[in-house]
Amino acid sequence: MHQPVNIAITGAAGQIAYSLIFRIVSGELLGKEQPIHLRLLEIPAAQAALEGVVMELDDCAYPLLAQLYYGDDMRRAFDQVDYVFLIGATPRKAGMERSELLSINAQVFHSQGKILNQYAHPQAKIIVVGNPANTNAYITRRAAPDLPDSCFSSLMRLDHNRALSIIANKISSVQNKAKAECQTNQLKQMVVWGNHSSSQYADISYLTCKDIPIGASFDLDWLDQSFVPAVQQRGAQIIQQRGHSSAASAANAILSQMYDWKHGTKANDWVSMGVISDGSYDIEAGLFYSFPVTIEKGQYHIVPDLPLSTRSHNHMQASLRELQKERDAVLKLKWA
Ligand code: NAD
Ligand code: LMR
């Protein structure tokens, strides 16, 4: 058995956390030999619901759960924390854009960033999920100046997975073959660039299937009129159908993003992750933007020097402009 690691999950009584906590404590993230000190954070009004979640955790009798804190004390939740899932935030309702949540959720991430700055492990891996995720990551990072940039990411894996799934289905339908002919894990080098919003840009330019390039085989009209908008609007569509925003698929994406961040990306592949821009691809440095990244030994690297078409560049700049607007709104807030 290894030394225990500290894992914090905010919004722990919410719907995403309910799909995530049990998977993590069962060993899906760090393996069956890794004991966990789990910290579940919630606002005071949600403590009764959180106690219910904790009762269910007890009833699973997980051997890896070596220690549990639950409550509303950020200091206890974030003390020497190694893995942080910042989920706790208000979700949007039907008809809203995610950016409309900024004024509601911004303060949460500012406060949590300040406490993380003081208490988190200096190599903590922090995923910001609460929307608008990229700008909330920007706020969190800004409030935690003593932690390195490399500690922070925003969740973009859900968009990446959505794009993979749509393409796998499209190939199966066009080729009229069983889905097994092109499973999502045979597709590599998908990119979703930009903001986790309706300006994001799913890009198949570099896509391979079974390591053979296939990006050029897709019809441009289908890409522009069906594929890109379908990925952009998937979250809104789910809210329309369920009356609630995505939860199980979001938890699955969170787990995958943290898993790859810890264990590394596969050969000849990368993942889309919201990370702080270093100015690559004409994206303003300092903003959280989704790039293709490879990961090795727990460190991510933005994939350099991919050729960009004018169409791609235009899409990417549109998403950048939206992030700049969100950032400008943040900088007008008194506490930022
Ligand atoms: P939910 O309403 O079911 O749960 C959110 C929980 O957060 C609630 O229990 C609430 O009490 C708690 N909370 C609020 N403020 C908190 C704080 N300061 N500290 C700790 N807990 C706090 O919502 P959900 O469906 O779990 O979604 C959570 C967030 O994730 C939303 O903002 C949603 O839009 C976002 N989301 C992002 C993605 C993504 O891909 N980035 C995907 C899905 C959902
Ligand atoms: C999603 O993409 O499903 C989430 O960001 C929830 C939402 O508001 O769409």
Side-chain angles (χ1 to χ4, degrees), residues 70-236:
Y70 63 99
D72 63 357
D73 184 341
M74 281 193 272
R75 287 168 180 79
R76 285 191 67 185
F78 295 155
D79 188 26
Q80 284 306 304
V81 70
D82 302 290
Y83 299 90
V84 185
F85 300 87
L86 297 184
I87 301 170
T90 302
R92 67 172 165 159
K93 305 276 185 302
M96 287 172 81
E97 285 296 328
R98 297 180 187 91
S99 56
E100 291 172 54
L101 294 170
L102 192 55
S103 54
I104 307 168
N105 289 334
Q107 181 87 55
V108 169
F109 292 89
H110 177 69
S111 320
Q112 291 176 351
K114 284 205 307 196
I115 304 297
L116 284 167
N117 193 48
Q118 279 179 273
Y119 287 87
H121 188 281
Q123 282 162 10
K125 290 180 169 33
I126 302 166
I127 300 184
V128 177
V129 177
N131 277 320
N134 292 40
T135 298
N136 287 335
Y138 172 84
I139 293 170
T140 311
R141 199 276 158 277
R142 205 175 139 77
D146 301 327
L147 293 176
D149 286 345
S150 55
C151 287
F152 298 89
S153 78
S154 59
L155 184 68
M156 288 297 298
R157 186 59 167 273
L158 183 53
D159 310 281
H160 183 101
N161 288 349
R162 287 168 172 165
L164 286 176
S165 216
I166 294 171
I167 290 291
N169 287 334
K170 173 73 174 169
I171 292 172
S172 305
S173 72
V174 168
Q175 296 181 340
N176 198 19
K177 286 182 182 165
K179 196 166 178 189
E181 287 296 311
C182 188
Q183 289 164 342
T184 47
N185 63 357
Q186 294 168 323
L187 291 170
K188 292 181 180 166
Q189 302 189 352
M190 172 66 77
V191 192
V192 178
W193 302 95
N195 197 3
H196 178 61
S197 76
S198 49
S199 72
Q200 66 181 245
Y201 169 53
D203 181 4
I204 48 71
S205 307
Y206 324 99
L207 191 68
T208 63
C209 181
K210 299 176 192 166
D211 292 323
I212 298 166
I214 58 164
S217 63
F218 294 93
D219 176 57
L220 204 56
D221 284 346
W222 179 77
L223 290 174
D224 278 340
Q225 283 155 37
S226 294
F227 173 64
V228 173
V231 182
Q232 290 171 334
Q233 293 303 326
R234 187 67 167 182

Side-chain angles (χ1 to χ4, degrees), residues 22-80:
F22 299 86
R23 292 181 67 178
I24 290 178
V25 183
S26 72
E28 235 183 285
L29 176 65
L30 299 168
K32 301 282 182 195
E33 301 293 317
Q34 179 58 67
I36 291 169
H37 288 180
L38 184 65
R39 290 89 176 273
L40 301 179
L41 189 73
E42 259 297 350
I43 54 173
Q47 292 301 315
L50 183 58
E51 272 178 46
V53 174
V54 168
M55 287 164 71
E56 288 204 63
L57 257 180
D58 277 346
D59 295 351
C60 291
Y62 286 124
L64 295 176
L65 185 55
Q67 196 185 82
L68 175 66
Y69 164 76
Y70 63 99
D72 63 357
D73 184 341
M74 281 193 272
R75 287 168 180 79
R76 285 191 67 185
F78 295 155
D79 188 26
Q80 284 306 304

